[in-house]
Structure formats: C-alpha cells, structure tokens
Amino acid sequence: MLIMPSRTVFALSLCLTLTSLAQARPDDPAVLDKIEVKGFPFRYQASDPSSAMKTETALKDTPQAVTVVTEQQIDDQSLHGMSDILRYVPGVGMAQGEGHRDAPVMRGNTSTGDFFTDGIRDDIQYFRDLYNVSQVEVLKGPNAMVFGRGGSGGIINRVSKQADGGHHQAFSIQAGSADFLRAEVDVGDALSDTVAYRFNAMIENAGSFRNDVSSNLRGFAPGMTFGIDANTRVVLSAELFSDTRTVDRGIPSYLGKPLDTEPSLFFGNADDSHADADATSYDVLVEHDMDGAVLRSRTRIADYGKFYQNVYPGAVNVGGTGVEILAYNIRTDRTNVFNQTDYVVDILYDDVTHRLVVGAELGRQNTANFRETGYFGSIGSTQTSELAAIENPAPILPVHFRQSASDADNQGTAETAALYVQDQIHLGDRWQMIAGLRLDRFHMDFHNKRNATRIETTDTRLSPRAGVIYSPSEAISGYASYAESFVPRAGDQLASLTPNTANLAPEVFVSTEIGMKWQLSKGLFTSVAVYQLDRNNVAVTDPANPMQTLLIDAQRSRGLEWEIGGNISRTLQIVAGYAYQEAELTHALSTSVPAGTVLPLVPEHSGYVWSRWDISAHWGLGLGINGRGKVYTTASNKVSLPGFSRLDAAIYYKASEYLKLQANIENMADKRYYPSAHNDNNISIGTPREVKLSMHLDF
C-alpha cells in the first residue's frame, strides 16, 4: 500500500497550486493552441516518448512518470552529456562514476547499465554524448515489461536523429572556459521520394579547472532511410564514437565532509589516470504496415572497448596531514547483438478498443574483463598504497600494475530470450486500462580464468505491468500503476557472479505509483506522481552463520515528483521540476549498516527551473537555478555533501535567418559545491563560473 507522508502531501499541494497558477496566464487570451503564429517555437513542450509503451501513445496516456528533454532545451542550455541532462529531471541524480562513466541514481537506485538507444540496450560503462540525439527520455520506476532486466529505478533512452527526409544543414562551433572547443555538423536531405540520408559529426577538446585534466571526444553518425514500397521502410544507421579523458576521482573527505582544499588540486597522479572508450554500433529498423497493423523489427550490433586506469585518493589520516593514494586499471571489451520484433494491432470490439503489442527480444552479450592492481615502489613491490602529503597529494614512488590474487580475469556470455504481450484497452472516452506481461530467460555462462572455474546460471522471470487511466476531460488524466523488474546476480555489468551467489534468485524491484498529467495548453504540459519502490531479495550474510547468505527485503524509496514544461506565453518558455524523496534501508545489511540508513546520493529535496524569454525578434535571455539538499556519500552515512543551488544564464542573438549566436554562463555566482561522489573519499567538486560562446549556422 502506498502511503504519503504529511510532507509529501504538502509538497503535492504546492505543486498543484503552481500548476494552476501556470494555467491562469494573464497574456493567454484564448489558450495557445488557438493562436496561429508563424514559426511559433514550442521549444520545451515534451514530445510523446517513443519507447515507454512500444506504441504511439501520448505522454498524457502513459501511466508512469516520464521526463522528456527536448532537442531545443539541449541547445538552449548547451547540454552535452547525461550529467547535464539529469540536472533537469526530478528525482534523478548522477553519481561520480569514478570519473569515467555515467552512473545515474534513480529513485534511490544507482546503475551503470540502464541506458538505451532507440529502445535497445546500450550498457557499457562510458560517458554518453548528445550530438546525435533528438530527445532524451527518462522513464521512472521498474520497466522490465518493455526493456527486460535492470531498470531498477528507471531507464534512460536516447532517441537518435534519423534520416527523416527533412532538410538539415547546420554547423555549430563553441568555445569557452578552460580551453573548451567543440564543433558539430548535422546534414541531411531527401535524395528522392523514397531515399533520404543524414549524418551528424562532433569533435570536442577540453581542459578543466582541475590541474592536468582534459578530454577529447569524436563522434560520427551516418544514416539512410529507404521507402521500399508504400507500406515498408528500412532505416539504417551507425555510430563511431571515441572518448579519451583524464580520470578524475575528485577529493577525499575529512571529519565527515569534503576536505577543504584548493578546487584545482588533483589527488593522485593525473598522468597515470586516463580512460579510453570506443563504441561502434550498427542499427537496422524495418517497419511494415500490414493494413491496420504494424510489424516492426529493430536489430542493433554494438562493439565496445573500454580501458581506464586511475591513481586516486583514499582516506585522510587522523591528523589531516596525509592522504592514502591507491591505483588500479581495468580493461573491458563487449559485443552486443540484440533484436526486438513487435507486432502492433488495433482491435475494435463494440465500443472497446484494444491496442495489442506482441513481441520478442533476443540478445547475446560477450564480455571480457581484466583488472590489475597498482603497486608502489620498485618492480615486484607488494605495497598497494602510499601516504602522500595533503598539500601535495601525489605519490612519490613509481606505480607498477600487475594482477593481484583477487583481480578479475574473466569471460562471460549472457543470452536473453524474451516474449511479451501488452494490451492498451480504451473503454469509451474516459477510461483506459493497460496490462502487460513479459517472460525473460536470462542465461549466463561465466568463466573465471584466474582459477579456471566456470559458472552457468539461468533465471526465468515473469515481469508484470498494469495501469488504469481516467480522463475526466481531454486535457487531464489521472493514473495508478504497478510494475516489477529484476536484476540477475551477474549484475549491471555482467561481472558479479560468484559460486556463492550463483544459485540466488535475482533482486526484484516492485513499484506502485499514482499520478496526474495535464495538457494545460497546446504548448504547456505538467505532471505529478507519488510512488513507492521496494527492493527485495537483497543478499546479506546470515549473522547466525557467516557461511550462509540470506535474501531480505531491504530497501524502500518513497517520493513525489512534479514537473512542468513548455510555453507560458508566445515569448516565454519554461521547464521546472521538484522532487521529494525518502529513501532508506528497511532491514540491516550488517552491524555497521543498520535499518533506517539513508541511501547514498538521494536528497530529500531537489528542484530546478529554467526559462527562456525572447524579448524581441533578435534577442533572447535564459535564466535558471537548480539545486538539492544534503546527501550522504555512501551507506555509512558518515560523510555528507552539503546542499547547494546553482544559477545559470544565457543570452541569445539571432543575427539573421541563418546565423545565431549564443552565450551560456554556468554557475554565475561562482559558488563552490559538491555535486556527486563515488564513495566517502572520491568527491567531485562542481565547476566554477564557466562561459561558453556558440555560433550556429543553418545553411
């Protein structure tokens, strides 16, 4: 049963009040959908998500919280990566990811594998870019019915730019603080009535306010669309992406808070801390209209190579004079092959309409991992750490890398076979019901090369999804939903399987949610959701018998999320959101991690607002603020990061129909803040005041 705390009820009332105020706009004579303005920019109106239901379903009729970040918002705010995006998604944050990967925290659950591109799994550990993205969809809560395993707190889906037959000829260049330089190109057109092409490319080189930290990115994404006949189209796309960067794991803590040090000071050795990620993917989409039904098949083949090495900080000593320095590296190679095939048909029976989806997914993932520990001193040394001076926190001894007795050297093959069915039932004009069920068979063949052991496991899971929607009017809908998901013991990255965990049932995530969605006008949309998410089958050591493992229901997250996005008037666009979260352990994991422990990196309160005001035909201004309350860095609850708010701004100038200039200023007040962490002693420092100047040319 979902129970709302009194503070949640208050927050819900506040959100609904703000929504009502947004609807009662004094400059709205007849609601924006009745105003015909040539070139009217619905910049922040969320598009319907392409992945949430596997059908063409309006956002208003999707029975779960979904945030859609539009391409226009990405451009206006000069967003480039997932951490930028998630600042504007209520209830979702980003962990540090050890300075080399995306690691979102969604409704209290941290994951590195719940990423998708056009609905297909994209789960290696790296930083994802936005140069080839038309919108980003963040679907909250368990999503196994649609996406399969994972999705414990939600998933993030990037919708790629496609060869749609439109005329695209754009070039942009951007320069800014800390030697930032980035260029993008987007070119596409129709070659005939049945053939279109498009390609996007990006190059970026950047320094940092952090000493000796830099990054270099390259991306190229071509695509073609073919109209085979009036009822069939084939979409081909590919991407070659590379990212080389310094791995920066930030600063340590001291006395329960981030160490007071110079923001630019690098802890460890920047020269020996680097990551190289390469991702190459090929996608084929075939769609066939079958006289009222649609048959859709999408295949994705992706090859990933990832190496990262870091010399990074550990704990500060009791006197605050020295810091432990440690080191290791990991090489991961993965090849993914996935196919999803869906049959979508509408069936009319009396006054009841069924939109039925019947589908299957097949997948195979081959993964190899190899880890080495850093040893300090001469070759053959067994010293795995060094105490460095706090004022100069770099190791003096040389570091040599070799495998320790416990370092990974494994090869694994994961195979997925799934069948699913979903029915969207329209009962007249006001009621809808959604029911779906997915059967997954997940097989893992795991080979530990260090000890020549082989583990094979097979998990067969049913994942249900159900929802009911009531629409008292065409513009408003209320919903209630239930969903489940699971994570096998192989984990997000398919490398966590051991003989002790192989026979354990997967972790299971169960969510109940109620909410309301409101299309305030053609250009303005708002939603509010209240949820409860439980994490079950968590493995802990039996305190009565350390040789045994217990499965317990250990974690609960409750919260409220509200957001609004779109046009307040013809010249004013806005996105805003707020989240209230209570996330804690409901069962002790150990004597040092008792029940009631607050989950790491989950603030009780967080929110944001961003608005763009076009003050004339040529000039525009942007202004926004985002922030959160205090968070703990780990389940130890011994180290906390203080709450913060950050002020950002932008200036827009349209010089002509073809040329636009833009300036973005981030952290205008130049505040010091700590946005994320990986553990108690790997804490990221927020970027100080930063300016980016852009030129965008449509030719």
Side-chain angles (χ1 to χ4, degrees):
M1 180 178 179
L2 194 154
I3 303 174
M4 292 186 291
S6 59
R7 286 171 291 182
T8 304
V9 175
F10 172 77
L12 175 60
S13 302
L14 177 62
C15 293
L16 292 175
T17 301
L18 292 172
T19 296
S20 300
L21 291 174
Q23 186 190 32
R25 301 182 303 282
D27 61 338
D28 184 8
V31 188
L32 289 176
D33 57 0
K34 298 182 181 179
I35 299 176
E36 296 294 334
V37 180
K38 185 178 180 181
F40 184 77
F42 292 114
R43 304 187 68 87
Y44 303 154
Q45 164 68 65
S47 302
D48 295 334
S50 64
S51 58
M53 302 293 293
K54 286 187 172 288
T55 63
E56 294 181 1
T57 302
L59 183 60
K60 182 180 70 70
D61 296 329
T62 303
Q64 71 180 113
V66 180
T67 298
V68 179
V69 181
T70 66
E71 185 178 358
Q72 290 73 27
Q73 183 183 342
I74 290 170
D75 291 342
D76 283 356
Q77 295 181 274
S78 187
L79 310 178
H80 296 314
M82 291 295 105
S83 60
D84 298 331
I85 288 285
L86 296 185
R87 289 202 301 268
Y88 299 95
V89 178
V92 182
M94 184 69 83
Q96 183 195 81
E98 295 182 281
H100 67 87
R101 63 177 182 248
D102 293 321
V105 184
M106 307 181 71
R107 293 185 171 178
N109 296 281
T110 303
S111 170
T112 62
D114 290 330
F115 291 95
F116 293 76
T117 299
D118 298 322
I120 302 287
R121 191 173 296 275
D122 170 38
D123 56 0
I124 199 71
Q125 295 181 338
Y126 71 110
F127 287 119
R128 292 152 182 85
D129 200 86
L130 304 177
Y131 76 98
N132 186 38
V133 168
S134 62
Q135 67 183 33
V136 177
E137 303 166 351
V138 184
L139 284 62
K140 321 291 184 55
N143 285 276
M145 210 317 286
V146 176
F147 297 98
R149 74 174 195 274
S152 53
I155 68 97
I156 300 172
N157 182 53
R158 293 182 297 163
V159 181
S160 62
K161 297 177 181 178
Q162 298 289 335
D164 54 11
H167 180 72
H168 306 278
Q169 284 187 301
F171 171 76
S172 64
I173 187 166
Q174 189 175 53
S177 306
D179 299 322
F180 180 86
L181 184 64
R182 181 182 174 102
E184 296 183 27
V185 64
D186 180 0
V187 177
D189 213 335
L191 295 175
S192 69
D193 291 341
T194 58
V195 180
Y197 77 94
R198 191 169 185 180
F199 75 85
N200 285 264
M202 173 275 302
I203 182 170
E204 176 184 308
N205 297 317
S208 172
F209 72 98
R210 301 274 290 159
N211 291 343
D212 303 316
V213 172
S214 63
S215 61
N216 298 276
L217 284 67
R218 306 289 186 271
F220 179 69
M224 298 282 291
T225 297
F226 301 89
I228 304 301
D229 54 42
N231 298 320
T232 306
R233 73 179 184 121
V234 176
V235 181
L236 307 178
S237 57
E239 182 180 21
L240 290 80
F241 178 77
S242 67
D243 181 336
T244 300
R245 66 176 62 231
T246 307
V247 175
D248 181 6
R249 293 177 64 162
I251 66 172
S253 67
Y254 184 59
L255 300 180
K257 59 184 180 180
L259 180 70
D260 185 11
T261 185
E262 285 295 320
S264 61
L265 188 60
F266 192 96
F267 282 72
N269 187 324
D271 291 338
D272 283 340
S273 300
H274 55 90
D276 301 282
D278 294 289
T280 303
S281 60
Y282 305 93
D283 292 79
V284 180
L285 169 65
V286 180
E287 282 189 336
H288 180 62
D289 190 338
M290 304 173 65
D291 192 22
V294 175
L295 182 64
R296 180 188 306 115
S297 181
R298 186 185 294 274
T299 301
R300 178 179 175 87
I301 301 173
D303 186 70
Y304 305 94
K306 173 69 181 292
F307 175 84
Y308 74 92
Q309 179 171 288
N310 46 186
V311 181
Y312 63 98
V316 174
N317 63 6
V318 176
T321 59
V323 58
E324 184 182 30
I325 303 295
L326 306 97
Y328 71 90
N329 64 42
I330 291 182
R331 173 77 195 183
T332 300
D333 294 291
R334 177 173 297 164
T335 300
N336 286 356
V337 180
F338 281 97
N339 173 267
Q340 292 179 358
T341 300
D342 300 322
Y343 177 74
V344 183
V345 62
D346 287 342
I347 302 173
L348 180 62
Y349 183 78
D350 290 336
D351 61 345
V352 178
T353 301
H354 297 263
R355 176 160 291 177
L356 193 66
V357 179
V358 180
E361 180 176 34
L362 296 174
R364 182 181 177 91
Q365 298 176 268
N366 291 318
T367 306
N369 295 292
F370 186 83
R371 173 179 167 134
E372 295 179 316
T373 296
Y375 293 90
F376 295 79
S378 60
I379 295 177
S381 168
T382 59
Q383 181 179 336
T384 57
S385 66
E386 179 182 344
L387 188 66
I390 204 74
E391 66 275 4
N392 183 24
I396 298 175
L397 298 174
V399 184
H400 304 280
F401 294 88
R402 68 176 188 272
Q403 282 216 305
S404 71
S406 60
D407 282 338
D409 181 6
N410 55 58
Q411 178 82 38
T413 299
E415 295 179 333
T416 298
L419 296 172
Y420 47 86
V421 60
Q422 176 181 271
D423 193 5
Q424 296 172 250
I425 307 168
H426 291 254
L427 303 167
D429 296 330
R430 299 189 181 276
W431 288 95
Q432 297 180 54
M433 296 180 63
I434 294 172
L437 187 65
R438 176 173 173 134
L439 174 64
D440 272 284
R441 181 185 184 275
F442 177 79
H443 178 76
M444 187 74 198
D445 184 351
F446 188 79
H447 181 202
N448 186 337
K449 297 180 180 179
R450 293 302 307 275
N451 55 22
T453 60
R454 184 173 179 177
I455 306 171
E456 288 194 68
T457 64
T458 301
D459 293 307
T460 302
R461 293 289 307 180
L462 283 171
S463 299
R465 173 185 190 175
V468 60
I469 304 167
Y470 174 69
S471 300
S473 70
E474 186 177 349
I476 301 175
S477 64
Y479 69 88
S481 65
Y482 173 91
E484 292 184 11
S485 190
F486 71 98
V487 176
R489 292 298 162 183
D492 274 345
Q493 293 303 319
L494 309 175
S496 301
L497 206 58
T498 68
N500 292 333
T501 62
N503 294 323
L504 299 180
E507 289 191 349
V508 177
F509 298 80
V510 180
S511 173
T512 52
E513 179 175 315
I514 60 174
M516 184 193 76
K517 299 183 179 184
W518 192 353
Q519 189 72 54
L520 295 166
S521 71
K522 183 177 181 180
L524 190 64
F525 184 84
T526 188
S527 64
V528 62
V530 179
Y531 67 88
Q532 178 172 296
L533 173 60
D534 291 318
R535 181 180 183 180
N536 304 329
N537 284 357
V538 177
V540 298
T541 301
D542 185 350
N545 184 355
M547 301 302 293
Q548 292 186 358
T549 300
L550 300 177
L551 296 182
I552 61 172
D553 299 342
Q555 180 176 308
R556 171 167 290 176
S557 302
R558 291 175 175 171
L560 174 146
E561 297 164 357
W562 168 80
E563 61 184 320
I564 188 170
N567 293 71
I568 297 293
S569 73
R570 288 176 292 175
T571 59
L572 181 62
Q573 295 89 39
I574 188 172
V575 289
Y578 165 78
Y580 169 79
Q581 300 181 84
E582 289 183 349
E584 63 181 24
L585 295 178
T586 56
H587 193 290
L589 298 185
S590 66
T591 55
S592 60
V593 186
T597 295
V598 178
L599 298 182
L601 301 177
V602 180
E604 188 174 26
H605 300 279
S606 59
Y608 61 89
V609 61
W610 171 268
S611 63
R612 171 173 170 152
W613 178 32
D614 292 302
I615 58 180
S616 73
H618 294 285
W619 289 95
L621 297 175
L623 186 65
I625 188 170
N626 67 81
R628 58 155 174 76
K630 181 187 78 170
V631 298
Y632 292 107
T633 54
T634 66
S636 74
N637 281 190
K638 294 179 179 179
V639 178
S640 64
L641 308 182
F644 70 89
S645 58
R646 197 184 90 169
L647 185 66
D648 301 331
I651 302 172
Y652 310 101
Y653 177 64
K654 185 177 181 180
S656 70
E657 183 179 353
Y658 308 103
L659 178 62
K660 299 175 185 177
L661 304 177
Q662 179 174 326
N664 289 84
I665 309 168
E666 297 182 353
N667 193 9
M668 280 183 63
D670 200 26
K671 277 191 172 184
R672 183 183 294 195
Y673 66 101
Y674 306 92
S676 64
H678 175 66
N679 56 37
D680 287 348
N681 290 299
N682 292 174
I683 298 169
S684 294
I685 301 180
T687 304
R689 185 186 298 115
E690 187 173 70
V691 178
K692 290 186 175 72
L693 304 176
S694 307
M695 180 187 73
H696 184 89
L697 182 65
D698 288 296
F699 53 92

